[in-house]
Amino acid sequence: MTYAAYFNERRDNQLNELQEWLSIPSISALSEHKPDMVRAANWLADTLTRAGLEHVEVHTTAGHPIVYADYLHAPGKPTILVYGHYDVQPVDPLNLWSTPPFEPTIREGKLYARGATDDKGQLFLHIKAVEALLQQEHTLPVNIKFCIEGEEEVSSPNLPAFLDANREKLAADAVVISDSSLLEEGKPSICTGLRGLCSLEVAVHTANTDLHSGLFGGGVPNALHALVSLLATLHDEQGRITVEGFYDGVPALSAMIREELAKQNPDEERLRDSLGLESLYGEQGYSFAERTGARPTLELNGVYGGFQGEGTKTVIPKEAHAKITCRLVGQQQPQQVLDAIIRHLESRIQAGATLKITPGEKAPAFDADPSNPFLQLAADAYEQVYGARAIFTKDGGSIPIVEAFSRILAAPVVLMGFGLPDENLHAPNEHFNLQNFDKGLLTIVEFLKRAAETS
């Protein structure tokens, strides 16, 4: 029986099984759902066992459980570690859901539920692909390990320590993650870079009280003036960040990367119009795809201070605040970037104003070599099933745990996503297009078969 026929014959049963898992409200961020987290982990462990996996274990952590399983009966063949997560985002605002988020519903070829695309639906594909190979071949072409956590949506606080403590147990030739998307329908992609992150909050203080602008205006420092003039020094007119040392560790874009990013072919005029903008903006000399995926940024996320109410209040504010985040690439080190920004700000603060800086999140960037054999075989597998070879992309977002897998296990990470960008992950009416459910199963089977060729 072909694999297409195998999956078609079992499609309804497999979708019913997935809907059962999706009905468990495994929201990691809310303490009242802790019992649901345990239930979701145990459901996963039972499903892995029924699929034919061995050494299935549910590991307790200081937070939510980590589930492990393997099937290691392919001597001399590569070992593939599959990572995913069974936790989901909160569902608010509930009134914007067309159907209840934990009552999975299929409408117009799409499966609606919280976690449908992020990440239960995509992870489920790997379990069923392995099950199919065992049913059809009675063995696997490669060795397989699963490491599934329940805290990805709360920044994976316990997983890095688990990886570090279990390096030998989790050792693999490649890590495969399906927690991303195709570029668009029928256009697969493999992400070869995720930007890192660092953040800080800035507070400027002047007098010990707000002051009347008629009595004191022009004679005392204004916290808002001091802040906005300080923030204005962070970029030049060409969109380049002016912080000394900020670009240390930023690689030049190779011809291959620029060629791959150009294949995304974003229509910048259409994008501009859809956003209601007169023009796009960014660092000169780079395309939109390059700016948003392969170049670092420094963005103001919030600036506030002084009177915010209706009408006018003639006040000179005593304090003003800003929130800043940076997306990092290449070998930029989050702490070094923070230190450079702090030096820049402290050296330019206006006379009469004082500065308080509070550092926040820190996460290094992730980069993969698209010429790696496992990434190339993944692109081939997509082409076999989708009829279009996957494009190698850079993603502007940050998924810190991906870098942790790459660094701690010293293995290439293959980001094989089967979602679509418009599937409302983290938003009401999250869904998974079942066309990619079907093609995803076949693509993973194809990849695992091809991966055996790297031995």
Side-chain angles (χ1 to χ4, degrees):
M1 181 186 296
T2 66
Y3 281 95
Y6 172 94
F7 287 123
N8 186 61
E9 185 178 278
R10 292 160 176 78
R11 189 176 194 262
D12 290 343
N13 288 338
Q14 290 184 347
L15 285 173
N16 288 336
E17 193 174 355
L18 174 56
Q19 289 179 80
E20 181 181 303
W21 196 23
L22 290 169
S23 70
I24 301 174
S26 50
I27 304 173
S28 55
L30 302 179
S31 58
E32 62 263 35
H33 286 285
K34 191 173 180 65
D36 296 314
M37 297 299 300
V38 174
R39 189 154 61 99
N42 288 334
W43 186 98
L44 174 60
D46 290 344
T47 301
L48 288 164
T49 300
R50 290 195 304 271
L53 276 297
E54 300 174 340
H55 309 115
V56 180
E57 302 162 354
V58 179
H59 294 267
T60 59
T61 73
H64 302 305
I66 294 171
V67 180
Y68 173 86
D70 63 36
Y71 192 89
L72 309 175
H73 298 285
K77 297 297 183 180
T79 296
I80 304 297
L81 174 67
V82 176
Y83 163 78
H85 64 94
Y86 63 87
D87 64 322
V88 301
Q89 282 277 323
V91 298
D92 310 90
L94 190 59
N95 64 298
L96 294 183
W97 287 80
S98 299
T99 50
F102 296 110
E103 295 180 17
T105 305
I106 295 176
R107 302 193 302 272
E108 299 177 348
K110 302 173 183 178
L111 174 56
Y112 286 81
R114 174 58 91 224
T117 190
D118 181 23
D119 179 42
K120 289 179 179 175
Q122 296 199 55
L123 174 58
F124 187 76
L125 299 177
H126 288 273
I127 301 171
K128 290 304 165 184
V130 168
E131 182 181 66
L133 284 162
L134 288 172
Q135 290 286 326
Q136 294 272 87
E137 317 287 347
H138 308 294
T139 188
L140 296 180
V142 295
N143 302 292
I144 285 284
K145 298 177 180 179
F146 281 81
C147 178
I148 314 302
E149 70 159 323
E151 298 181 324
E152 193 274 344
E153 300 293 6
V154 290
S155 301
S156 306
N158 292 293
L159 186 57
F162 180 83
L163 297 180
D164 198 46
N166 293 275
R167 289 173 188 249
E168 185 173 347
K169 183 188 190 75
L170 300 171
D173 295 289
V175 179
V176 175
I177 301 175
S178 294
D179 191 12
S180 54
S181 65
L182 286 71
L183 277 179
E184 58 187 57
E185 185 176 347
K187 195 172 181 180
S189 63
I190 296 172
C191 177
T192 63
L194 293 163
R195 292 194 288 191
L197 177 72
C198 67
S199 66
L200 63 155
E201 295 190 23
V202 179
V204 171
H205 296 270
T206 51
N208 57 11
T209 184
D210 288 353
L211 297 168
H212 190 291
S213 66
L215 298 176
F216 291 90
V220 297
N222 181 313
L224 275 173
H225 290 182
L227 178 64
V228 297
S229 64
L230 183 61
L231 298 178
T233 69
L234 292 170
H235 296 83
D236 65 20
E237 293 182 357
Q238 286 73 46
R240 187 173 174 83
I241 297 157
T242 56
V243 175
E244 184 178 352
F246 182 88
Y247 289 98
D248 291 351
V250 175
L253 296 185
S254 68
M256 178 183 179
I257 290 296
R258 300 194 90 154
E259 182 180 347
E260 287 294 321
L261 291 174
K263 290 178 183 177
Q264 296 183 36
N265 195 30
D267 186 333
E268 296 192 6
E269 292 301 307
R270 181 179 178 184
L271 175 64
R272 184 203 67 191
D273 290 342
S274 71
L275 296 175
L277 294 169
E278 291 187 2
S279 66
L280 298 178
Y281 171 83
E283 187 181 5
Q284 290 188 9
Y286 297 93
S287 69
F288 178 82
E290 291 168 350
R291 291 170 182 166
T292 58
R295 294 293 293 172
T297 66
L298 188 158
E299 296 287 352
L300 304 181
N301 306 126
V303 178
Y304 53 99
F307 178 60
Q308 304 290 313
E310 183 179 358
T312 300
K313 182 180 181 183
T314 54
V315 65
I316 297 173
K318 69 171 186 174
E319 62 183 81
H321 304 265
K323 294 178 182 288
I324 298 173
T325 55
C326 300
R327 299 290 178 168
L328 311 178
V329 301
Q331 299 303 309
Q332 282 183 296
Q333 298 302 309
Q335 188 59 56
Q336 292 179 13
V337 171
L338 284 172
D339 291 342
I341 295 171
I342 292 170
R343 286 194 301 270
H344 178 98
L345 296 174
E346 288 179 340
S347 68
R348 289 164 175 79
I349 186 66
Q350 176 184 305
T354 60
L355 192 63
K356 180 182 178 182
I357 297 174
T358 305
E361 301 167 279
K362 290 181 289 185
F366 160 76
D367 275 298
D369 180 359
S371 67
N372 180 276
F374 288 104
L375 275 74
Q376 290 294 320
L377 291 172
D380 294 339
Y382 275 116
E383 184 173 23
Q384 179 67 32
V385 176
Y386 282 83
R389 198 167 193 272
I391 295 170
F392 295 106
T393 65
K394 297 283 188 182
D395 195 319
S398 304
I399 309 177
I401 200 60
V402 174
E403 185 276 338
F405 269 103
S406 176
R407 172 174 44 83
I408 295 172
L409 300 185
V413 178
V414 186
L415 291 164
M416 296 182 69
F418 297 99
L420 286 173
D422 62 355
E423 289 180 335
N424 286 24
L425 64 163
H426 293 204
N429 298 314
E430 179 181 348
H431 58 277
F432 190 22
N433 282 260
L434 295 183
Q435 180 183 40
N436 290 320
F437 177 89
D438 299 329
K439 290 186 175 181
L441 290 165
L442 295 172
T443 303
I444 294 168
V445 167
E446 186 69 23
F447 170 73
L448 294 176
K449 286 184 172 183
R450 290 173 181 265
E453 301 170 9
T454 63
S455 59

